[in-house]
Amino acid sequence: MAPNIEHRFICDDHLGKLARYLRVCGFDTVFDRTMGNGQLLQIALQDNRHILTRDTGLIEFTLVRNYILIESDDWAEQLKQVVDEYALTIDTAQFFSRCLEDNAPTVAVEKSSIRDLVYPYTYENHDDFRQCPLCRRVYWHGTHVKAMLDRLTAQGII
């Protein structure tokens, strides 16, 4: 899986669900609900990240250049705005290539190594697993992926 490296994002504290869906789609997205505007701006500048914000006060900082002011409160409309404004391509092969919790790139793991970390049904019915090297969370393409694809398709995002 090739990572989505051309677009790196940082979301303000109002955009947790958007950050999660960007991560689901494989986009490197920093989000920390406790991060203040100063820290957010520092990380954005240091890591050359696109700022996604609902905070009109944040965009008044003179150093803020690369941003989108997110218009909607709805996560699907937010994601659609980002996809449209950056002309992003959502590649379903990238789903869960980043940890939803800590944004680390997930790595393919041997099925036998995660036997005790997933339910027996999941272990028996799936062969390909990915794991976060930081928090050890395990990911696989189960029915939840189809549900997300259906949700994104219904919203006109993919």
Side-chain angles (χ1 to χ4, degrees), residues 18-37:
L18 172 61
R20 188 170 191 82
Y21 270 92
L22 285 167
R23 288 176 180 172
V24 164
C25 295
F27 293 100
D28 181 349
T29 306
V30 171
F31 174 77
D32 180 344
R33 190 170 309 285
T34 64
M35 184 172 28
N37 285 348

Side-chain angles (χ1 to χ4, degrees), residues 109-115 122-127 129:
V109 293
E110 291 294 324
K111 182 175 179 174
S112 60
S113 73
I114 55 84
R115 177 182 212 100
T122 301
Y123 186 82
E124 294 301 322
N125 289 286
H126 297 281
D127 293 317
F129 294 92

Side-chain angles (χ1 to χ4, degrees), residues 82-102:
V82 173
V83 166
D84 290 347
E85 290 204 30
Y86 287 111
L88 300 177
T89 299
I90 295 180
D91 178 0
T92 56
Q94 294 293 313
F95 273 34
F96 301 112
S97 61
R98 300 199 81 78
C99 180
L100 302 185
E101 297 305 315
D102 56 39

Side-chain angles (χ1 to χ4, degrees), residues 2-152:
N4 286 305
I5 58 173
E6 65 276 1
H7 291 96
R8 299 171 68 199
F9 301 102
I10 187 165
C11 293
D12 74 15
D13 62 341
H14 303 284
L15 298 173
K17 200 158 194 176
L18 172 61
R20 188 170 191 82
Y21 270 92
L22 285 167
R23 288 176 180 172
V24 164
C25 295
F27 293 100
D28 181 349
T29 306
V30 171
F31 174 77
D32 180 344
R33 190 170 309 285
T34 64
M35 184 172 28
N37 285 348
Q39 185 181 10
L40 182 144
L41 182 56
Q42 179 183 4
I43 293 169
L45 291 170
Q46 174 185 321
D47 294 349
N48 194 28
R49 292 181 178 278
H50 304 282
I51 298 170
L52 306 177
T53 184
R54 300 245 328 128
D55 183 353
T56 56
L58 176 63
I59 62 174
E60 292 174 2
F61 282 94
T62 57
L63 294 175
V64 175
R65 301 260 191 282
N66 190 5
Y67 71 91
I68 294 178
L69 183 61
I70 301 295
E71 299 165 2
S72 176
D73 286 330
D74 178 71
W75 71 267
E77 290 177 24
Q78 293 170 349
L79 183 58
K80 186 160 179 34
Q81 181 184 357
V82 173
V83 166
D84 290 347
E85 290 204 30
Y86 287 111
L88 300 177
T89 299
I90 295 180
D91 178 0
T92 56
Q94 294 293 313
F95 273 34
F96 301 112
S97 61
R98 300 199 81 78
C99 180
L100 302 185
E101 297 305 315
D102 56 39
N103 195 43
T106 58
V107 294
V109 293
E110 291 294 324
K111 182 175 179 174
S112 60
S113 73
I114 55 84
R115 177 182 212 100
D116 297 334
L117 300 176
V118 296
Y119 290 109
Y121 178 86
T122 301
Y123 186 82
E124 294 301 322
N125 289 286
H126 297 281
D127 293 317
D128 297 319
F129 294 92
R130 299 187 66 78
Q131 188 172 36
C132 175
L134 299 179
C135 71
R136 312 305 292 165
R137 187 173 181 166
V138 178
Y139 296 92
W140 64 94
H141 281 228
T143 55
H144 57 288
V145 172
K146 182 180 179 338
M148 281 185 210
L149 285 170
D150 290 347
R151 207 170 313 144
L152 294 173

